[in-house]
DNA sequence: GCTCCATGATACCTCCAGGGTATGGCTCGG
DNA sequence: CCGAGCCATACCCTGGAGGTATCATGGAGC
């Protein structure tokens, strides 16, 4: 499949008429007809219903059209962004992060760095393991995760340890308490994040298991917002890092846990033994302030 | 430009060696070399720095690589989704919405509809004006907006009127009051959303202007989260529809306004004179319950 | 400082696939 | 029943993608 097919498909999907579409594309109708068939063959699905009076999109065709528009749009913006960056003298600074650190001060680091006019920021949501590879390949320059991984080419710095909290529906029996894990184990759990494993979800399960507590998983969720919605709907409860409590939501209360030592670290990874670039130095300076604020409890 | 170029570029960007990349692509080195040059020519930017010992990505190349990976990934998932839909007997149901309605009950409608196993949901963020065209072309079947637009082929239903609220930084002099527009006009404004105009931003400005109030715009923001962050940083204040107050955030308080009649409607648009499909009937039923809850103040 | 070699660039050839033209066949409206 | 409108098929032609051979270059190693 080539972009040509997508471009043709879009025009045809809008015109619903091969002859007119061909005219719009400055080409004859038969080759267009063939290319569309070719596309359908490659995807292995009918995108159009043919009739003697023009075409109609099948449901699959509708879906494909919607996404194709987005793809073509993204290509255009990508080219434009690349050209802009090539003309400017900016350098790329890539930051990898696991989703759960993005509810805290990371957005502040991003906002500060975007101000600088010698740097183009590139953000990538990556698991801690993926971050190792991305660091080495130069795709990112700094990674934020929650796991310690031994790698000779990467140095890790423990920024701070973050307490875990329980997210409970409003009015829950434990809502005004400081519960123990044993107490929480009595209630069904919303496991989160379900998708890229291993993750916080496994850590959560491990915490219970190591204490010999049996938990029932009521539901899995991939995104924080979904998980919180499920908690608010009283489908279950879930454990989240403290940063998440900044995401307040009607129907949800966060409570600290009674068990000591239930924390999740936030770890910053960098390539080892590399002279810090000017941008890296700026990032480090900002980070230092943010970590200091975090440690002293001063939120901006 | 064709997908071929992107696929080649990705492999080269990973190998940073044309000979090896060519081998991986099961082709000879010279044509690959040429295609990459061709790509650079078309974009009008150097993506690689050549040396006798292999290649290196330029900043522009790095950016392009990052986005190219996403594009290729999206194409794969699009094809997979299209195939899946073609095999199933599901129908498409498209919903268009302006961002500001997505903080209310719309997610609930989406969640309920996703449960049904005869429907594949397609969401599209569109301005109210774009929704008209999308409805007529069949891209969406239902649109949610905040503006009344006369169109012979579209019928609009006013679901409810939503009060406007002011988002203020914590500790703001007006934070514990029910201020008037005149009082708010004393403080700088964060204009939101800045990008697709006309929008709520113009409505906000209009409200002040019609009362003969002069406002100073401190900053523009495209996304709600940014706007709220700016408010929390005491850069300015902003007006938001009531639904937004469900997005709570540290450092932000929402207050109702003293002026009467400061509301923003939520309007549902459908194609006129069309027999409702089974899915549309299900959507209408869910919508009715949600609107009733909204009107009676019962949030789920 | 010279040589070697890995690596990318250039030149030229081949051939296929994408586009063109001509035409058939189907369906719907009058 | 006929014609208009539309898509599909058949066949031809050419541009450009890919192949082979070879050159140019600069860093590593002696």
């Amino acid at each position: 499949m080539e972009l040509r097919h997508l471009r043709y498909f879009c025009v045809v999907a809008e015109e619903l008429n091969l002859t007119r579409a061909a005219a719009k594309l400055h080409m004859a109708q038969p080759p267009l007809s063939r290319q569309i068939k070719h596309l359908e063959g490659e995807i292995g699905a009918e995108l159009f219903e043919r009739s003697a009076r023009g075409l109609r999109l099948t449901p699959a065709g509708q879906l494909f059209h919607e996404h194709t528009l987005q793809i073509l749009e993204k290509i255009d913006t990508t080219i434009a962004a690349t050209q802009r960056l090539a003309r400017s003298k900016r350098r790329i600074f890539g930051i990898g992060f696991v989703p759960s650190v993005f509810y805290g001060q990371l957005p502040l680091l991003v906002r500060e760095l975007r101000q600088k006019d010698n740097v183009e920021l590139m953000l990538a949501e990556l698991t801690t393991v993926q971050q190792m590879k991305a660091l080495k390949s130069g795709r990112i320059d700094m990674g934020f995760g929650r796991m310690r991984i031994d790698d000779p080419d990467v140095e890790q710095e423990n920024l701070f340890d973050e307490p875990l909290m329980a997210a409970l529906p409003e009015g829950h029996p434990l809502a005004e308490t400081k519960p123990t894990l044993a107490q929480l184990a009595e209630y069904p759990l919303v496991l989160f994040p379900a998708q890229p494993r291993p993750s916080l979800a496994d850590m959560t399960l491990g915490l219970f298991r190591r204490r010999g507590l049996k938990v029932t998983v009521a539901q899995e969720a991939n995104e924080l917002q979904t998980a919180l919605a499920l908690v608010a709907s009283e489908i279950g409860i879930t454990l989240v890092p403290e940063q998440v409590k900044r995401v307040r939501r009607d129907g949800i209360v966060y409570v600290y846990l009674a068990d000591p030592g239930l924390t999740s670290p936030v770890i910053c990874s960098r390539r080892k033994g590399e002279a810090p670039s000017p941008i890296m130095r700026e990032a480090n300076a900002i980070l230092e302030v943010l970590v200091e604020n975090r440690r002293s409890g001063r939120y901006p």
Side-chain angles (χ1 to χ4, degrees), chain A:
Chain A
M1 196 175 76
E2 290 295 338
L3 278 185
R4 180 172 7 99
H5 297 111
L6 301 188
R7 288 192 265 256
Y8 292 176
F9 172 79
C10 273
V11 176
V12 175
E14 263 156 52
E15 293 290 332
L16 293 178
N17 175 315
L18 280 178
T19 314
R20 269 205 311 278
K24 210 166 174 181
L25 288 163
H26 307 293
M27 67 190 285
Q29 169 260 317
L32 180 58
S33 182
R34 208 173 50 194
Q35 293 297 329
I36 296 293
K37 279 231 154 141
H38 201 85
L39 177 64
E40 290 182 318
E42 201 146 358
I43 291 180
E46 301 268 307
L47 300 175
F48 294 101
E49 281 169 28
R50 270 83 164 173
S51 77
R53 297 257 168 246
L55 310 175
R56 262 183 48 213
L57 278 168
T58 62
Q62 280 181 49
L63 184 80
F64 193 72
H65 183 215
E66 188 70 28
H67 288 264
T68 301
L69 286 172
Q70 290 171 20
I71 290 167
L72 294 178
E73 163 100 25
K74 174 144 182 83
I75 289 175
D76 286 346
T77 59
T78 296
I79 292 176
T82 305
Q83 289 170 337
R84 193 159 25 81
L85 183 59
R87 274 197 301 276
S88 79
K89 286 279 169 334
R90 295 175 157 212
R91 299 271 129 196
I92 292 272
F93 191 74
I95 296 179
F97 61 92
V98 297
S100 66
V101 304
F102 210 76
Y103 299 104
Q105 272 109 326
L106 186 51
L108 296 176
L109 172 64
V110 171
R111 203 199 310 169
E112 296 263 329
L113 279 177
R114 274 206 208 285
Q115 307 284 323
K116 315 285 177 189
D117 61 351
N118 57 343
V119 57
E120 182 80 24
L121 266 197
M122 225 161 56
L123 294 175
E125 188 193 314
L126 300 167
T127 66
T128 316
V129 181
Q130 290 172 324
Q131 286 177 26
M132 297 301 116
K133 197 185 151 209
L135 275 170
K136 283 189 264 190
S137 76
R139 183 179 166 199
I140 63 172
D141 302 287
M142 196 179 249
F144 295 93
R146 291 191 177 275
M147 273 158 59
R148 193 157 276 291
I149 293 177
D150 251 341
D151 191 300
D153 302 328
V154 175
E155 63 180 7
Q156 292 193 310
E157 179 189 355
N158 199 341
L159 297 181
F160 48 82
D161 285 307
E162 200 176 11
L164 285 177
M165 303 186 75
L168 307 174
E170 222 161 34
H172 191 277
L174 301 174
E176 311 241 320
T177 69
K178 196 175 171 188
T180 62
L181 273 190
Q183 288 178 290
L184 289 172
E186 300 290 318
Y187 300 92
L189 209 67
V190 174
L191 206 60
F192 148 80
Q195 249 318 288
R197 300 289 269 276
S199 72
L200 191 66
D202 303 273
M203 214 184 95
T204 306
L205 289 178
L207 289 176
F208 285 104
R209 199 174 302 123
R210 235 172 295 132
R211 283 167 178 75
L213 298 169
K214 263 220 172 96
V215 288
T216 52
V217 174
Q219 177 87 41
E220 302 197 341
N222 291 329
E223 286 174 37
L224 176 66
Q225 291 299 346
T226 318
L228 293 183
L230 291 170
V231 171
S233 319
E234 311 196 348
I235 288 174
I237 64 172
T238 193
L239 294 190
V240 294
E242 189 185 28
Q243 289 187 335
V244 169
K245 84 171 177 191
R246 308 191 77 210
V247 182
R248 296 219 238 139
R249 196 180 187 289
D250 280 349
I252 298 266
V253 294
Y254 301 98
V255 295
Y256 285 97
L257 305 179
D259 309 52
L262 288 188
T263 60
S264 166
V266 171
I267 292 164
C268 176
S269 309
R270 302 184 188 80
R271 272 184 296 278
K272 193 178 274 180
E274 199 181 80
S277 67
I279 302 166
M280 179 66 90
R281 276 201 294 272
E282 297 193 52
N284 287 340
I286 298 168
L287 204 53
E288 215 168 293
V289 175
L290 291 178
V291 169
E292 185 47 38
N293 282 347
R294 178 66 182 73
R295 286 205 172 117
S296 64
R298 249 184 304 137
Y299 282 86

